[in-house]
Amino acid sequence: MSATLSYVFCLVRGARRPTLGGIGDGMPGGRELRAIEVGDRFWAIVQSVPEGEYGESSLARGLQDLEWVGPRAIAHERVIESFLSSTALLPMQLFTLFNSDDRVVEHVRSDRARIARILKRIEKKVEWGVRLTWNEQAARDKAAKKQARTGTEFLARKRDVLDVSRKQLAEARTAADRVYKAIDRQAAASQRRTSLERAAPGSRLLLDAAFLVPAARSGAFKTAVREQTRALRGTGIETSVTGPWPAYNFIQ
């Protein structure tokens, strides 16, 4: 029998062994998924994968190939998200590997205090993502549609169309800041990825944020997002809401 490694998807808290039916195949080339008890009502969702494909040297080569990484990243997230309704769900990073199940148990137990702190923070909570982007053409179209009854108004409209890129982008950023602050009050925690928003001069990404929300308040959170972004319709600001997800951005 060829050598295998233990691939860990996540830790799940539950009084009983988690049900694994209907989740799917897990990682390409892997065997059946299993749940191993690691103590204190924690279960590690694990799969044996071939060392020849997931060992250190093979993994280093595979990480250079997006076509190799892509299906595995999707499989990794699909398994984790199958446990979204669990009391507490701690997702592992992609390609978390151990030599054996015993090493998985040993690692979790040795890191128990830190894991417990993280689980306390994310227990019964899910992650929502909110993005606001600037559609310059939509804003220009709105400015161009203004009716001009006089020559002065015509020139003002023409100025607005030409000025929309600079002036309205600044206004859009201010609006995005206001929306973020308002919906942040509905969350237990949030992370705003400002480095991505300002990655390049003139970036059209106004807001890229993740929010940690009590699962029971997900409906109220979505309502708050709709209320805060309703006034943005027709201004060139477009809203994207994703989730619920495991608390990927709140486990560090």
Side-chain angles (χ1 to χ4, degrees):
M1 182 180 294
S2 59
T4 62
L5 300 170
S6 294
Y7 185 103
V8 186
F9 294 91
C10 56
L11 296 181
V12 177
R13 174 179 283 164
R16 300 176 181 175
R17 185 181 299 274
T19 301
L20 303 178
I23 293 178
D25 296 332
M27 301 301 281
R31 299 177 183 174
E32 284 190 10
L33 293 165
R34 60 187 180 278
I36 59 175
E37 189 172 6
V38 293
D40 297 332
R41 297 185 297 122
F42 290 162
W43 303 84
I45 307 304
V46 176
Q47 182 178 35
S48 293
V49 295
E51 185 176 13
E53 187 173 349
Y54 292 89
E56 187 175 352
S57 58
S58 299
L59 188 59
R61 288 193 301 271
L63 289 173
Q64 306 303 313
D65 182 359
L66 290 179
E67 292 189 2
W68 186 88
V69 173
R72 288 160 178 79
I74 292 171
H76 179 81
E77 293 184 357
R78 182 181 295 123
V79 172
I80 294 171
E81 289 161 15
S82 298
F83 298 95
L84 192 58
S85 61
S86 300
T87 301
L89 168 62
L90 177 58
M92 296 289 107
Q93 291 184 341
L94 183 63
F95 302 124
T96 296
L97 293 151
F98 293 87
N99 289 329
S100 67
D101 287 3
D102 288 342
R103 291 289 294 138
V104 174
V105 175
E106 181 182 334
H107 172 76
V108 173
R109 290 180 176 174
S110 67
D111 204 20
R112 182 180 302 168
R114 186 183 69 88
I115 290 172
R117 288 195 300 271
I118 296 172
L119 287 172
K120 183 178 180 180
R121 183 167 68 245
I122 65 175
E123 190 170 17
K124 298 182 181 179
K125 297 180 181 71
V126 293
E127 179 177 315
W128 288 88
V130 178
R131 272 193 168 202
L132 300 181
T133 53
W134 170 242
N135 185 329
E136 182 178 339
Q137 188 58 51
R140 286 183 181 275
D141 291 345
K142 182 182 180 182
K145 288 178 182 178
K146 292 180 180 179
Q147 294 296 319
R149 293 185 293 273
T150 67
T152 301
E153 290 180 352
F154 173 79
L155 291 175
R157 185 187 68 178
K158 187 174 183 180
R159 180 200 62 213
D160 289 344
V161 172
L162 293 174
D163 199 39
V164 69
S165 175
R166 176 175 56 82
K167 179 182 176 182
Q168 291 194 264
L169 178 56
E171 293 175 350
R173 290 197 185 284
T174 299
D177 291 343
R178 185 170 60 250
V179 168
Y180 172 72
K181 290 177 182 177
I183 60 179
D184 182 49
R185 291 194 289 267
Q186 304 294 323
S190 65
Q191 285 196 17
R192 185 171 182 178
R193 293 178 280 267
T194 52
S195 60
L196 290 178
E197 295 171 11
R198 308 298 172 89
S203 171
R204 275 19 183 188
L205 180 59
L206 306 174
L207 174 66
D208 184 12
F211 298 87
L212 186 64
V213 179
R217 290 191 51 79
S218 286
F221 177 80
K222 290 189 292 182
T223 298
V225 173
R226 285 196 299 268
E227 290 176 349
Q228 292 299 323
T229 58
R230 185 177 294 121
L232 304 180
R233 295 172 187 169
T235 65
I237 300 176
E238 299 177 346
T239 305
S240 172
V241 180
T242 59
W245 308 109
Y248 291 119
N249 285 288
F250 299 92
I251 60 175
Q252 298 303 321

